[in-house]
Amino acid sequence: MQFQAILFDCDGVLVDSELITNRVLHAMLNEAGWELSEADCMRIFIGKTVRSETARIEAETGKPLTDAWMAAFYAHRNERLRAELVAIDGAVEAVRQVHAQLGGRIAVASGADKPKVLMQLEKVGLLPYFGSHVFSGHDLPRTKPWPDVYLAAAASLDIAPEHCLVIEDSVPGLTAGVRAGATVWGYCPKVNAHSTPEQLLDAGASKVFDDMAELPALLAATHLAN
């Protein structure tokens, strides 16, 4: 199939944010009374919103998950991201090349809140490539693993989902892309991957790759094969 558009997840695919965010969340949950490890925190929350685990957080801490607590989390998280965030290795050049290959038909479809997504893309120099085609599951009736955010991103480009390629690194996000009807490739870096290639393939990935710099060549090879 010749893909007409690429829809990117953001965290862990374009920006190296997940360990930063997880450290903040882990510290705040421990402070609230939930004694869990950083590894368990990552396993529970990767690819999800914090609020999607409200019942578990409240059960483990014995406290309600308040708007004030969430606001404090967002503030601490964003402070650390502004200080520490970098792009995924190879992502900036890969986006530049596929933007040219596809005539600008690329979008971001994230499960994170939109202010965070925009701030991150701007910080690493990627926002100009996506323009208004940046979407958050927070703004839709359902977020990942439901397909809503990918359907919205595809619609913004006026491309049917079945002609889109989704790039994802988590099982919930990959599931969302599959449910949208897109072809999904799993990104699984050699270091600090949060899912195994087998987990991504089992969730419906048609291909798994480990170097974002390879994406333009993989896309070109797919198009040539068709």
Side-chain angles (χ1 to χ4, degrees), residues 9-167:
D9 177 39
C10 183
D11 297 287
V13 168
L14 298 177
V15 297
D16 196 4
S17 56
E18 289 173 324
L19 289 176
I20 300 169
T21 297
N22 189 66
R23 283 197 297 268
V24 174
L25 180 59
H26 169 256
M28 289 187 63
L29 288 174
N30 271 257
E31 185 179 331
W34 184 0
E35 296 183 4
L36 78 168
S37 68
E38 283 194 27
D40 283 341
C41 188
M42 181 69 80
R43 177 182 55 80
I44 293 165
F45 290 96
I46 187 70
K48 302 176 186 176
T49 65
V50 174
R51 286 194 184 277
S52 71
E53 294 291 333
T54 294
R56 186 168 185 181
I57 292 170
E58 292 181 343
E60 295 285 354
T61 63
K63 303 170 187 175
L65 183 64
T66 64
D67 289 344
W69 192 93
M70 287 300 304
F73 165 65
Y74 288 150
H76 291 318
R77 177 203 66 185
N78 290 353
E79 179 183 8
R80 298 317 312 155
L81 288 169
R82 289 189 186 97
E84 302 174 24
L85 184 72
V86 296
I88 291 290
D89 285 347
V92 174
E93 179 60 18
V95 167
R96 186 192 70 78
Q97 290 187 42
V98 299
H99 183 273
Q101 284 172 281
L102 293 170
R105 295 187 302 276
I106 62 174
V108 171
S110 175
D113 52 287
K114 192 168 183 178
K116 171 179 181 268
V117 179
L118 292 172
M119 177 267 288
Q120 293 183 138
L121 294 174
E122 183 175 26
K123 186 175 191 303
V124 301
L126 283 171
L127 189 56
Y129 294 107
F130 295 101
S132 63
H133 301 291
V134 177
F135 295 85
S136 163
H138 285 231
D139 300 330
L140 295 159
R142 303 172 301 181
T143 190
K144 300 175 184 180
W146 300 104
D148 304 37
V149 71
Y150 279 115
L151 294 174
S156 80
L157 297 169
D158 198 26
I159 303 292
E162 57 266 30
H163 297 303
C164 294
L165 172 64
V166 163
I167 309 296

